[in-house]
């Protein structure tokens, strides 16, 4: 009894301290640590569950409770492999249902209702009687309301979630609005945007870029629709390929005829459908088709591309081009290094490191490592044929390595490339 009382007193002290200042969102990094830490997840859940009872109008506290509760649900799914039982567990926690009573009509409620596939009790009862799949569907109405109420201080995570939602709908107007606000918020990392720019720089005019998911696409959309560069490139988001109208729209941009019967034919699984669409683009596009070299394992839901397609992929630097005819792709890679890529920014960052709140995150350091991994094979050629170019590229790689080493990264792999 004494231990229980001390725990309650500690929780009360924490809540008093938290309420004395503005409640803060749980960091993305901390949320990610919860996947493998059941005790920490339960502790955080209990804290925020108690907190919202004391502060029922605190939207940030409700958002924190929701984020932690979802980790509890996903842990249940991981441990039991019982999706139906885990959905029942989510209903037992009833975080969004309680939220609807405490803060109805708010951005936080609409966001969490969308993410949690929430249905009011009466509607859920009807859905269970008539259509079980309805229980797992996201609701456009919740998304529409959340997007309309997106706060001025929204985090990068929220911008990317709603852009991801709108891409399959080809909702150009709202996507452009979100991209503009996201860019102007200053939360999209400059180095990431520069990497996306360089990927597009190395492609032929009018090319098709196939991204494995929105993380490959959003930066390029900002470049095209906010900054007005590389607007001739066509972007295909493989993660949106299960939406018939989206694929039809992309095929129209590429100039490929779209056959709805072909699209709707049966496949063994989603992976086969994704691969079929990718093959169709490769085989029928009159435009050059590219993939991101840094994210090859991400294609087709992370299972990669089949060997017969890989055999026709040629690395040109940061991107890989599909071609049925062999060609000197190393000469193209050197052209990109010498004429197209802007690499000087890699020598030294000129702004403070930002807190990562992105939904699709790949760090500036990781991108810098990829430049070395993808371009180092040209050093021997330059050493033999162009000493000036060799010294320049070697110097950029050396600057990257020195910066990484100061941050305690293991750089032995990269130093070996310079020998």
């Amino acid at each position: 009894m004494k231990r229980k009382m001390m725990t309650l007193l500690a929780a009360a002290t924490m809540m008093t301290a938290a309420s004395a200042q503005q409640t803060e969102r749980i960091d993305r990094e901390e949320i990610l640590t919860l996947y493998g830490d059941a005790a920490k997840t339960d502790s955080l859940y209990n804290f925020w569950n108690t907190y919202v009872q004391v502060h029922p109008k605190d939207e940030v506290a409700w958002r924190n409770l929701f984020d932690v509760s979802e980790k509890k649900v996903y842990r249940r799914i991981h441990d039991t492999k019982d999706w139906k039982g885990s959905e029942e567990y989510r209903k037992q926690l009833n975080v969004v249902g309680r939220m609807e009573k405490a803060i109805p009509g708010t951005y936080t409620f609409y966001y969490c209702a969308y993410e949690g596939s929430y249905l009011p009790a009466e509607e859920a009862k009807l859905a269970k009687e008539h259509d079980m799949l309805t229980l797992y569907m996201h609701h456009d109405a919740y998304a529409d309301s959340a997007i309309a109420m997106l706060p001025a201080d929204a985090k990068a995570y929220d911008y990317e979630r709603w852009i991801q939602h709108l891409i399959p709908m080809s909702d150009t107007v709202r996507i452009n609005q979100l991209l503009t606000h996201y860019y102007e918020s200053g939360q999209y990392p400059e180095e990431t945007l520069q990497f996306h720019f360089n990927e597009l720089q190395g492609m032929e005019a009018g090319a098709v870029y196939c991204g494995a998911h929105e993380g490959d696409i959003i930066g390029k959309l900002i470049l095209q629709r906010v900054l007005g560069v590389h607007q001739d490139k066509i972007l295909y988001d493989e993660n949106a390929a299960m939406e018939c109208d989206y694929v039809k729209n992309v095929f129209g941009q590429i100039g490929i005829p779209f056959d709805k019967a072909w699209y709707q034919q049966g496949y063994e699984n989603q992976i086969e459908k994704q691969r079929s669409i990718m093959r169709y683009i490769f085989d029928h596009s009159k435009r050059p088709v590219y993939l991101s070299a840094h994210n090859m394992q991400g294609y087709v839901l992370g299972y990669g591309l089949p060997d017969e397609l890989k055999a026709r992929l040629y690395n040109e630097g940061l991107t890989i081009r599909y071609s049925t005819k062999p060609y000197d792709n190393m000469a193209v890679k050197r052209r990109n290094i010498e004429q197209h890529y802007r690499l000087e920014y890699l020598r030294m960052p000129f702004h403070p490191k930002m807190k990562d709140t992105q939904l699709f995150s790949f760090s500036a350091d990781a991108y810098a490592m990829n430049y070395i991994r993808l371009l180092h094979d040209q050093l021997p050629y330059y050493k033999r044929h162009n000493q000036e170019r060799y010294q320049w590229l070697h110097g950029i790689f050396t600057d990257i390595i020195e910066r990484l080493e100061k941050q305690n990264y293991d750089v032995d792999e990269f130093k070996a490339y310079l020998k």
Side-chain angles (χ1 to χ4, degrees):
M1 181 68 181
K2 183 177 180 181
R3 177 178 296 177
K4 183 177 181 181
M5 182 62 69
M6 292 300 293
T7 302
L8 291 173
L9 286 172
T13 302
M14 290 173 65
M15 284 187 287
T16 301
S19 61
Q21 55 190 350
Q22 187 175 4
T23 312
E24 294 185 1
R25 283 266 299 276
I26 300 175
D27 284 348
R28 178 179 180 275
E29 289 82 0
E30 185 172 5
I31 287 292
L32 292 175
T33 66
L34 300 183
Y35 283 104
D37 194 332
K40 184 178 180 181
T41 304
D42 291 341
S43 176
L44 273 176
Y45 176 85
N46 292 334
F47 171 76
W48 288 111
N49 194 43
T50 305
Y51 191 95
V52 297
Q53 295 174 44
V54 180
H55 307 280
K57 299 300 180 183
D58 191 325
E59 288 190 49
V60 177
W62 278 110
R63 175 69 178 267
N64 287 343
L65 176 61
F66 174 77
D67 287 344
V68 176
S69 71
E70 286 298 286
K71 296 301 171 285
K72 286 173 69 69
V73 173
Y74 292 142
R75 189 179 78 227
R76 178 70 66 92
I77 293 172
H78 179 271
D79 292 344
T80 66
K81 305 296 187 293
D82 179 6
W83 285 86
K84 185 177 180 180
S86 298
E87 184 60 33
E88 290 300 320
Y89 182 57
R90 179 185 276 127
K91 289 180 183 178
Q92 292 173 23
L93 297 177
N94 194 31
V95 172
V96 182
R98 290 184 282 144
M99 196 183 301
E100 186 175 28
K101 294 180 179 179
I103 53 169
T106 61
Y107 170 78
T108 301
F109 166 70
Y110 289 128
Y111 172 90
C112 296
Y114 172 87
E115 286 282 9
S117 300
Y118 174 69
L119 285 173
E122 287 304 313
E123 188 179 345
K125 182 179 178 181
L126 290 173
K128 189 172 184 178
E129 292 173 357
H130 296 98
D131 182 7
M132 281 296 294
L133 290 177
T134 307
L135 293 170
Y136 301 96
M137 291 175 61
H138 291 310
H139 295 280
D140 291 348
Y142 288 139
D144 291 342
S145 297
I147 292 169
M149 298 181 69
L150 189 68
D153 61 349
K155 300 295 185 185
Y157 184 105
D158 295 70
Y159 282 114
E160 295 189 359
R161 168 58 77 214
W162 301 127
I163 293 169
Q164 179 189 40
H165 171 77
L166 293 173
I167 284 175
M169 302 177 184
S170 302
D171 189 334
T172 304
V173 174
R174 287 194 292 174
I175 290 175
N176 289 354
Q177 290 173 345
L178 287 173
L179 290 168
T180 300
H181 293 320
Y182 184 16
Y183 175 73
E184 291 177 348
S185 76
Q187 296 184 79
Y188 198 89
E190 293 180 24
E191 290 93 341
T192 304
L193 200 61
Q194 186 65 61
F195 187 89
H196 286 292
F197 177 82
N198 280 338
E199 279 193 314
L200 293 172
Q201 279 280 99
M203 301 180 201
E204 297 292 336
V208 177
Y209 175 87
C210 299
H213 52 67
E214 291 77 16
D216 288 336
I217 299 294
I218 291 175
K220 295 176 180 66
L221 285 173
I222 290 175
L223 289 165
Q224 289 184 334
R225 302 187 186 186
V226 181
L227 301 180
V229 297
H230 288 295
Q231 294 175 312
D232 60 307
K233 310 300 191 300
I234 296 169
L235 307 178
Y236 165 63
D237 179 3
E238 185 188 53
N239 202 37
M242 301 310 290
E243 294 292 335
C244 178
D245 289 342
Y246 173 75
V247 176
K248 180 180 179 180
N249 180 275
V250 172
F251 278 21
Q253 294 178 56
I254 298 172
I256 299 174
F258 180 80
D259 184 340
K260 191 171 183 178
W262 165 82
Y263 177 84
Q264 292 181 334
Q265 64 181 303
Y267 292 92
E268 289 186 9
N269 51 50
Q270 185 176 344
I271 296 168
E272 287 306 311
K273 188 178 187 73
Q274 300 282 67
R275 285 178 172 168
S276 176
I277 295 170
M278 188 74 81
R279 283 192 184 95
Y280 200 87
I281 293 174
F282 286 159
D283 292 343
H284 293 85
S285 175
K286 299 281 193 271
R287 300 167 178 265
V289 180
Y290 293 85
L291 310 174
S292 176
H294 92 94
N295 202 19
M296 277 303 298
Q297 293 305 313
Y299 290 99
V300 191
L301 301 177
Y303 286 88
L305 295 169
D307 291 342
E308 72 268 19
L309 292 183
K310 289 180 182 178
R312 296 178 175 182
L313 297 176
Y314 293 83
N315 177 253
E316 295 185 355
L318 303 184
T319 53
I320 293 173
R321 182 172 178 173
Y322 178 82
S323 177
T324 57
K325 298 179 180 179
Y327 66 100
D328 187 358
N329 60 301
M330 291 296 100
V332 178
K333 179 184 279 196
R334 289 190 291 274
R335 180 204 65 186
N336 285 335
I337 292 172
E338 297 164 17
Q339 301 176 27
H340 292 169
Y341 295 157
R342 300 179 184 178
L343 303 179
E344 290 298 325
Y345 83 96
L346 290 163
R347 290 187 181 276
M348 178 180 174
F350 288 95
H351 57 83
K353 187 175 182 179
M354 297 167 50
K355 180 181 286 188
D356 180 8
T357 65
Q358 290 181 277
L359 175 61
F360 303 101
S361 176
F362 198 75
S363 74
D365 293 333
Y367 277 123
M369 294 176 194
N370 272 346
Y371 275 105
I372 302 179
R373 290 190 176 107
L374 294 170
L375 304 182
H376 78 272
D377 60 357
Q378 296 309 299
L379 284 174
Y381 177 90
Y382 285 134
K383 192 171 186 178
R384 291 193 303 272
H385 301 286
N386 189 330
Q387 272 294 314
E388 182 179 357
R389 184 63 65 181
Y390 172 78
Q391 293 297 336
W392 170 78
L393 189 59
H394 189 283
I396 288 176
F397 289 165
T398 300
D399 289 343
I400 294 172
I401 291 169
E402 288 178 354
R403 189 171 80 247
L404 295 173
E405 199 164 26
K406 289 177 182 177
Q407 299 178 67
N408 297 318
Y409 284 101
D410 182 354
V411 295
D412 289 346
E413 171 195 351
F414 308 114
K415 287 183 175 180
Y417 294 147
L418 304 188
K419 294 179 180 178

